[in-house]
Tab-separated table of all heavy atoms in Angstrom:
chain	number	residue	atom	x	y	z
A	28	GLU	N	0.838	-1.205	0.000
A	28	GLU	CA	0.000	0.000	0.000
A	28	GLU	C	0.870	1.250	0.000
A	28	GLU	O	0.590	2.210	-0.717
A	28	GLU	CB	-0.916	0.007	1.224
A	28	GLU	CG	-2.058	-1.000	1.142
A	28	GLU	CD	-2.860	-1.069	2.432
A	28	GLU	OE1	-2.706	-0.193	3.302
A	28	GLU	OE2	-3.659	-2.011	2.571
A	29	LEU	N	1.926	1.247	0.800
A	29	LEU	CA	2.822	2.401	0.873
A	29	LEU	C	3.524	2.629	-0.463
A	29	LEU	O	3.690	3.771	-0.900
A	29	LEU	CB	3.848	2.205	1.990
A	29	LEU	CG	3.283	2.331	3.407
A	29	LEU	CD1	4.333	1.894	4.421
A	29	LEU	CD2	2.830	3.741	3.697
A	30	ARG	N	3.918	1.558	-1.114
A	30	ARG	CA	4.557	1.706	-2.420
A	30	ARG	C	3.593	2.318	-3.433
A	30	ARG	O	3.960	3.183	-4.229
A	30	ARG	CB	5.065	0.352	-2.917
A	30	ARG	CG	6.324	-0.101	-2.206
A	30	ARG	CD	6.837	-1.407	-2.746
A	30	ARG	NE	8.036	-1.816	-2.005
A	30	ARG	CZ	8.427	-3.062	-1.869
A	30	ARG	NH1	7.742	-4.030	-2.426
A	30	ARG	NH2	9.521	-3.343	-1.189
A	31	GLY	N	2.332	1.872	-3.418
A	31	GLY	CA	1.322	2.431	-4.321
A	31	GLY	C	1.084	3.908	-4.053
A	31	GLY	O	1.008	4.717	-4.980
A	32	GLU	N	0.985	4.262	-2.785
A	32	GLU	CA	0.783	5.672	-2.424
A	32	GLU	C	1.981	6.510	-2.858
A	32	GLU	O	1.823	7.616	-3.369
A	32	GLU	CB	0.575	5.771	-0.911
A	32	GLU	CG	0.122	7.125	-0.445
A	32	GLU	CD	-0.223	7.144	1.024
A	32	GLU	OE1	-0.814	6.165	1.507
A	32	GLU	OE2	0.111	8.129	1.673
A	33	ASN	N	3.156	5.972	-2.694
A	33	ASN	CA	4.377	6.672	-3.101
A	33	ASN	C	4.375	6.912	-4.610
A	33	ASN	O	4.731	7.986	-5.089
A	33	ASN	CB	5.590	5.837	-2.677
A	33	ASN	CG	6.832	6.661	-2.549
A	33	ASN	OD1	6.784	7.883	-2.572
A	33	ASN	ND2	7.968	6.015	-2.409
A	34	ARG	N	3.939	5.885	-5.386
A	34	ARG	CA	3.859	6.035	-6.836
A	34	ARG	C	2.850	7.120	-7.220
A	34	ARG	O	3.097	7.928	-8.109
A	34	ARG	CB	3.481	4.702	-7.498
A	34	ARG	CG	4.643	3.724	-7.597
A	34	ARG	CD	4.289	2.536	-8.481
A	34	ARG	NE	3.232	1.707	-7.930
A	34	ARG	CZ	3.434	0.700	-7.107
A	34	ARG	NH1	4.646	0.365	-6.734
A	34	ARG	NH2	2.417	-0.020	-6.648
A	35	ARG	N	1.695	7.165	-6.515
A	35	ARG	CA	0.676	8.184	-6.822
A	35	ARG	C	1.212	9.585	-6.528
A	35	ARG	O	0.992	10.511	-7.308
A	35	ARG	CB	-0.598	7.918	-6.008
A	35	ARG	CG	-1.402	6.740	-6.545
A	35	ARG	CD	-2.770	6.643	-5.888
A	35	ARG	NE	-2.709	6.387	-4.463
A	35	ARG	CZ	-2.564	5.206	-3.908
A	35	ARG	NH1	-2.474	4.129	-4.663
A	35	ARG	NH2	-2.532	5.062	-2.589
A	36	PHE	N	1.933	9.744	-5.414
A	36	PHE	CA	2.525	11.046	-5.093
A	36	PHE	C	3.517	11.461	-6.170
A	36	PHE	O	3.541	12.614	-6.602
A	36	PHE	CB	3.240	10.995	-3.740
A	36	PHE	CG	2.364	11.314	-2.572
A	36	PHE	CD1	2.269	10.447	-1.500
A	36	PHE	CD2	1.633	12.492	-2.537
A	36	PHE	CE1	1.475	10.733	-0.422
A	36	PHE	CE2	0.834	12.792	-1.459
A	36	PHE	CZ	0.740	11.918	-0.394
A	37	ALA	N	4.341	10.548	-6.604
A	37	ALA	CA	5.357	10.867	-7.616
A	37	ALA	C	4.693	11.277	-8.928
A	37	ALA	O	5.132	12.232	-9.579
A	37	ALA	CB	6.283	9.667	-7.824
A	38	MET	N	3.624	10.583	-9.320
A	38	MET	CA	2.927	10.919	-10.559
A	38	MET	C	2.268	12.297	-10.452
A	38	MET	O	2.302	13.088	-11.397
A	38	MET	CB	1.887	9.831	-10.888
A	38	MET	CG	2.539	8.552	-11.404
A	38	MET	SD	1.454	7.110	-11.541
A	38	MET	CE	-0.060	7.729	-12.154
A	39	ALA	N	1.679	12.612	-9.297
A	39	ALA	CA	1.048	13.916	-9.101
A	39	ALA	C	2.092	15.021	-9.174
A	39	ALA	O	1.869	16.066	-9.793
A	39	ALA	CB	0.326	13.949	-7.749
A	40	LEU	N	3.246	14.788	-8.573
A	40	LEU	CA	4.309	15.785	-8.621
A	40	LEU	C	4.799	15.968	-10.053
A	40	LEU	O	5.012	17.098	-10.502
A	40	LEU	CB	5.471	15.371	-7.712
A	40	LEU	CG	6.666	16.318	-7.729
A	40	LEU	CD1	6.269	17.691	-7.210
A	40	LEU	CD2	7.802	15.759	-6.898
A	41	GLN	N	4.959	14.881	-10.776
A	41	GLN	CA	5.435	14.970	-12.159
A	41	GLN	C	4.434	15.750	-13.014
A	41	GLN	O	4.822	16.607	-13.817
A	41	GLN	CB	5.638	13.558	-12.718
A	41	GLN	CG	6.296	13.548	-14.088
A	41	GLN	CD	6.533	12.131	-14.583
A	41	GLN	OE1	5.918	11.186	-14.122
A	41	GLN	NE2	7.443	11.983	-15.516
A	42	ALA	N	3.145	15.506	-12.815
A	42	ALA	CA	2.113	16.226	-13.570
A	42	ALA	C	2.162	17.717	-13.229
A	42	ALA	O	2.076	18.570	-14.117
A	42	ALA	CB	0.729	15.657	-13.270
A	43	ALA	N	2.323	18.033	-11.952
A	43	ALA	CA	2.391	19.434	-11.540
A	43	ALA	C	3.635	20.104	-12.124
A	43	ALA	O	3.582	21.255	-12.556
A	43	ALA	CB	2.395	19.530	-10.022
A	44	GLU	N	4.745	19.376	-12.152
A	44	GLU	CA	5.975	19.932	-12.717
A	44	GLU	C	5.815	20.189	-14.217
A	44	GLU	O	6.241	21.230	-14.728
A	44	GLU	CB	7.152	18.985	-12.475
A	44	GLU	CG	7.647	18.977	-11.041
A	44	GLU	CD	8.706	17.914	-10.767
A	44	GLU	OE1	8.887	16.997	-11.600
A	44	GLU	OE2	9.347	18.004	-9.712
A	45	LEU	N	5.180	19.261	-14.928
A	45	LEU	CA	4.937	19.445	-16.364
A	45	LEU	C	4.033	20.655	-16.615
A	45	LEU	O	4.278	21.451	-17.518
A	45	LEU	CB	4.327	18.178	-16.973
A	45	LEU	CG	5.274	16.983	-17.124
A	45	LEU	CD1	4.506	15.757	-17.588
A	45	LEU	CD2	6.394	17.300	-18.092
A	46	LYS	N	2.988	20.791	-15.813
A	46	LYS	CA	2.080	21.916	-15.962
A	46	LYS	C	2.812	23.223	-15.678
A	46	LYS	O	2.656	24.201	-16.396
A	46	LYS	CB	0.886	21.758	-15.018
A	46	LYS	CG	-0.176	22.806	-15.221
A	46	LYS	CD	-1.399	22.536	-14.370
A	46	LYS	CE	-2.470	23.580	-14.618
A	46	LYS	NZ	-3.656	23.362	-13.795
A	47	GLN	N	3.621	23.218	-14.615
A	47	GLN	CA	4.399	24.402	-14.255
A	47	GLN	C	5.339	24.782	-15.399
A	47	GLN	O	5.432	25.941	-15.783
A	47	GLN	CB	5.201	24.119	-12.973
A	47	GLN	CG	5.980	25.300	-12.438
A	47	GLN	CD	5.097	26.302	-11.744
A	47	GLN	OE1	3.979	26.006	-11.376
A	47	GLN	NE2	5.589	27.509	-11.581
A	48	LYS	N	6.029	23.806	-15.975
A	48	LYS	CA	6.961	24.066	-17.069
A	48	LYS	C	6.227	24.617	-18.288
A	48	LYS	O	6.669	25.572	-18.929
A	48	LYS	CB	7.713	22.783	-17.430
A	48	LYS	CG	8.799	22.977	-18.469
A	48	LYS	CD	9.562	21.701	-18.715
A	48	LYS	CE	10.626	21.920	-19.782
A	48	LYS	NZ	11.344	20.703	-20.086
A	49	SER	N	5.072	24.021	-18.608
A	49	SER	CA	4.271	24.475	-19.743
A	49	SER	C	3.835	25.919	-19.536
A	49	SER	O	3.915	26.736	-20.455
A	49	SER	CB	3.053	23.567	-19.905
A	49	SER	OG	2.166	24.105	-20.853
A	50	MET	N	3.398	26.239	-18.337
A	50	MET	CA	2.953	27.597	-18.055
A	50	MET	C	4.121	28.571	-18.131
A	50	MET	O	3.972	29.700	-18.610
A	50	MET	CB	2.277	27.662	-16.683
A	50	MET	CG	0.969	26.877	-16.602
A	50	MET	SD	-0.181	27.216	-17.941
A	50	MET	CE	-0.689	28.847	-17.522
A	51	GLU	N	5.297	28.154	-17.669
A	51	GLU	CA	6.467	29.014	-17.746
A	51	GLU	C	6.846	29.270	-19.210
A	51	GLU	O	7.206	30.393	-19.575
A	51	GLU	CB	7.635	28.392	-16.993
A	51	GLU	CG	7.478	28.466	-15.479
A	51	GLU	CD	8.537	27.670	-14.718
A	51	GLU	OE1	9.417	27.067	-15.368
A	51	GLU	OE2	8.475	27.669	-13.485
A	52	GLU	N	6.746	28.251	-20.049
A	52	GLU	CA	7.040	28.416	-21.468
A	52	GLU	C	6.033	29.360	-22.124
A	52	GLU	O	6.406	30.244	-22.909
A	52	GLU	CB	7.028	27.057	-22.176
A	52	GLU	CG	8.215	26.183	-21.812
A	52	GLU	CD	8.091	24.762	-22.350
A	52	GLU	OE1	7.048	24.432	-22.975
A	52	GLU	OE2	9.038	23.980	-22.146
A	53	LYS	N	4.740	29.218	-21.797
A	53	LYS	CA	3.719	30.109	-22.336
A	53	LYS	C	3.962	31.545	-21.869
A	53	LYS	O	3.803	32.496	-22.630
A	53	LYS	CB	2.323	29.638	-21.916
A	53	LYS	CG	1.854	28.398	-22.634
A	53	LYS	CD	0.474	27.989	-22.148
A	53	LYS	CE	0.035	26.690	-22.823
A	53	LYS	NZ	-1.264	26.230	-22.311
A	54	ASN	N	4.315	31.678	-20.618
A	54	ASN	CA	4.591	32.990	-20.039
A	54	ASN	C	5.759	33.643	-20.781
A	54	ASN	O	5.705	34.829	-21.108
A	54	ASN	CB	4.917	32.832	-18.551
A	54	ASN	CG	4.450	34.014	-17.743
A	54	ASN	OD1	3.736	34.868	-18.243
A	54	ASN	ND2	4.853	34.066	-16.496
A	55	GLN	N	6.804	32.850	-21.021
A	55	GLN	CA	7.979	33.359	-21.740
A	55	GLN	C	7.576	33.824	-23.141
A	55	GLN	O	7.979	34.892	-23.602
A	55	GLN	CB	9.063	32.274	-21.821
A	55	GLN	CG	10.308	32.660	-22.596
A	55	GLN	CD	11.110	33.742	-21.899
A	55	GLN	OE1	11.081	33.853	-20.697
A	55	GLN	NE2	11.794	34.559	-22.674
A	56	LEU	N	6.763	33.035	-23.827
A	56	LEU	CA	6.295	33.373	-25.168
A	56	LEU	C	5.487	34.666	-25.144
A	56	LEU	O	5.677	35.558	-25.987
A	56	LEU	CB	5.458	32.228	-25.742
A	56	LEU	CG	4.928	32.414	-27.164
A	56	LEU	CD1	6.088	32.548	-28.145
A	56	LEU	CD2	4.044	31.251	-27.560
A	57	LEU	N	4.603	34.793	-24.163
A	57	LEU	CA	3.798	36.008	-24.050
A	57	LEU	C	4.675	37.224	-23.761
A	57	LEU	O	4.432	38.310	-24.280
A	57	LEU	CB	2.731	35.840	-22.966
A	57	LEU	CG	1.557	34.939	-23.353
A	57	LEU	CD1	0.677	34.678	-22.135
A	57	LEU	CD2	0.749	35.558	-24.472
A	58	GLU	N	5.692	37.045	-22.922
A	58	GLU	CA	6.611	38.147	-22.636
A	58	GLU	C	7.346	38.565	-23.910
A	58	GLU	O	7.540	39.758	-24.163
A	58	GLU	CB	7.600	37.746	-21.545
A	58	GLU	CG	6.981	37.700	-20.163
A	58	GLU	CD	7.944	37.178	-19.103
A	58	GLU	OE1	9.147	37.009	-19.400
A	58	GLU	OE2	7.487	36.961	-17.971
A	59	GLU	N	7.771	37.584	-24.707
A	59	GLU	CA	8.440	37.896	-25.967
A	59	GLU	C	7.496	38.633	-26.918
A	59	GLU	O	7.880	39.606	-27.571
A	59	GLU	CB	8.960	36.614	-26.617
A	59	GLU	CG	10.123	35.992	-25.868
A	59	GLU	CD	10.487	34.609	-26.389
A	59	GLU	OE1	9.894	34.151	-27.393
A	59	GLU	OE2	11.374	33.970	-25.783
A	60	GLN	N	6.229	38.195	-26.976
A	60	GLN	CA	5.244	38.861	-27.828
A	60	GLN	C	4.971	40.279	-27.344
A	60	GLN	O	4.855	41.208	-28.146
A	60	GLN	CB	3.940	38.054	-27.869
A	60	GLN	CG	4.065	36.747	-28.636
A	60	GLN	CD	2.793	35.907	-28.547
A	60	GLN	OE1	1.907	36.184	-27.761
A	60	GLN	NE2	2.722	34.868	-29.379
A	61	ALA	N	4.893	40.440	-26.032
A	61	ALA	CA	4.660	41.771	-25.463
A	61	ALA	C	5.831	42.683	-25.807
A	61	ALA	O	5.644	43.852	-26.158
A	61	ALA	CB	4.455	41.672	-23.957
A	62	SER	N	7.044	42.166	-25.697
A	62	SER	CA	8.234	42.949	-26.034
A	62	SER	C	8.226	43.340	-27.503
A	62	SER	O	8.513	44.496	-27.867
A	62	SER	CB	9.484	42.134	-25.700
A	62	SER	OG	10.635	42.830	-26.097
A	63	ALA	N	7.866	42.397	-28.376
A	63	ALA	CA	7.799	42.682	-29.806
A	63	ALA	C	6.733	43.746	-30.089
A	63	ALA	O	6.940	44.657	-30.911
A	63	ALA	CB	7.501	41.413	-30.593
A	64	LEU	N	5.602	43.660	-29.403
A	64	LEU	CA	4.544	44.662	-29.578
A	64	LEU	C	5.013	46.042	-29.119
A	64	LEU	O	4.731	47.052	-29.755
A	64	LEU	CB	3.290	44.255	-28.807
A	64	LEU	CG	2.416	43.208	-29.491
A	64	LEU	CD1	1.317	42.758	-28.536
A	64	LEU	CD2	1.798	43.771	-30.757
């Protein structure tokens, strides 16, 4: 049970990290567009 819970925590963290990275990339793109404007 502990191993399963540990796997679920790791997957949730990985998903959050991917979302965070995606948002940072979008933010960077928007900043570049704002600068170009």
Side-chain angles (χ1 to χ4, degrees):
E28 287 174 13
L29 288 171
R30 285 182 181 154
E32 190 173 321
N33 203 11
R34 282 190 295 272
R35 285 190 296 277
F36 271 126
M38 286 169 40
L40 178 63
Q41 187 178 20
E44 286 173 346
L45 288 174
K46 186 174 182 181
Q47 184 76 17
K48 185 176 179 182
S49 171
M50 294 311 289
E51 286 172 1
E52 289 171 357
K53 287 179 183 177
N54 213 10
Q55 177 68 28
L56 182 62
L57 286 171
E58 286 175 9
E59 290 171 4
Q60 290 175 348
S62 176
L64 280 172

